[in-house]
Amino acid sequence: MTNRVLMLTASILAENGQSKALADHFIARTEACDGVEVTHRDLVAEELPHLGLAELGSWQVPAEERSDEQRELVARSDALIAELHDHDVIVLAVPMYNLGIPSQLKAWFDRVMRAGVTFRYTENGPQGLVEGKRAVILAARGGQYAGTEKDTQTPHLKLMLGMMGITEVDSVFAEGLNMGGNHRENALKEARQAIDGLVERL
Ligand SMILES: Cc1cc2nc3c(=O)[nH]c(=O)nc-3n(C[C@H](O)[C@H](O)[C@H](O)COP(=O)(O)O)c2cc1C
């Protein structure tokens, strides 16, 4: 049984977010299992800034030559990478905003995807250095996209995870949440059932 789950949430609607509701359901189900510990990181509350040149540049400077500011900037990414390594299952609760992932979640990936640290370039292409993890995507969307080329989120997330070596990825979709009728209720019910099934197999 897996025992350490890192839950990343990124809804700007905070507690009213549907992806947060899915995350809460996932957490409640996993915490009912023996020996499971969940770390929750709210990437909206966290307010990671966009990745900029000073921070990117600080990664290139040898540790013993870094200024105080550079040490602080490197520490931000180092801490998130250490947290990633420290968990067995990475759960991404992902709202769809303007046909993409929330910029807050992208800011997290921009900190943990570090050449030479979580992946390295080889003559055969990038090689992931984060081993032994699996990931789960909990996707909340107003419309319906899963399985079509309009799903810009899942392929992007899988590529980023895969580049770091996380290739075992399950997805749960709650779609059509803003389409009226029974769409929302049915989609959320089916998503909760899918989560129950996943948690049993963790
Ligand atoms: C700023 C914003 C942009 C959105 N853009 C899209 C979109 O492009 N496609 C879509 O299907 N739903 C879109 N929606 C609807 C959200 O995907 C839906 O409300 C979902 O529940 C968001 O997840 P959350 O409730 O966890 O925040 C958008 C919502 C907001 C607030």
Side-chain angles (χ1 to χ4, degrees), residues 141-160:
R141 295 145 176 208
Q144 292 178 319
Y145 310 88
T148 76
E149 64 182 15
K150 290 184 179 165
D151 182 357
T152 54
Q153 293 183 308
T154 328
H156 184 204
L157 290 167
K158 284 185 176 174
L159 276 174
M160 290 192 288

Side-chain angles (χ1 to χ4, degrees), residues 124-146:
N124 300 318
Q127 179 194 5
L129 300 174
V130 180
E131 290 171 357
K133 319 276 173 216
R134 56 182 297 192
V136 178
I137 298 167
L138 307 176
R141 295 145 176 208
Q144 292 178 319
Y145 310 88

Side-chain angles (χ1 to χ4, degrees), residues 52-74:
L53 181 58
E55 189 168 352
L56 182 71
S58 69
W59 300 345
Q60 323 298 336
V61 180
E64 61 283 1
E65 293 172 25
R66 286 175 190 147
S67 66
D68 288 348
E69 188 201 349
Q70 287 171 331
R71 267 196 289 278
E72 214 170 292
L73 290 172
V74 173

Side-chain angles (χ1 to χ4, degrees), residues 81 84-87 90 112 117-119 127-133 161-167:
I81 290 171
L84 178 64
H85 279 297
D86 202 30
H87 291 79
I90 317 304
V112 298
V117 181
T118 52
F119 71 92
Q127 179 194 5
L129 300 174
V130 180
E131 290 171 357
K133 319 276 173 216
L161 291 164
M163 190 146 161
M164 294 187 289
I166 305 172
T167 52

Side-chain angles (χ1 to χ4, degrees), residues 10-14 16-21 93-100 102 139-145 153 174-178 184 188:
S11 173
I12 58 174
L13 301 180
N16 295 322
Q18 298 303 326
S19 57
K20 177 63 168 49
V94 188
M96 178 176 279
Y97 296 143
N98 298 321
L99 300 172
R141 295 145 176 208
Q144 292 178 319
Y145 310 88
Q153 293 183 308
E175 292 202 311
L177 298 178
N178 296 352
R184 171 183 286 242
L188 292 172

Side-chain angles (χ1 to χ4, degrees), residues 1-3 5 7 22-23 25-31 33 36 89-93 134-139 154 158 168-174 189-202:
M1 178 71 198
T2 302
N3 54 18
V5 174
M7 172 65 73
L22 297 179
H25 185 76
F26 194 102
I27 290 172
R29 284 291 184 272
T30 46
E31 284 184 339
C33 304
V36 177
V89 183
I90 317 304
V91 187
L92 310 168
R134 56 182 297 192
V136 178
I137 298 167
L138 307 176
T154 328
K158 284 185 176 174
E168 202 184 334
V169 184
D170 289 294
S171 303
V172 172
F173 299 98
K189 186 175 163 197
E190 281 172 23
R192 284 194 297 269
Q193 285 169 349
I195 288 170
D196 294 348
L198 266 182
V199 169
E200 271 176 28
R201 290 188 279 117
L202 280 185

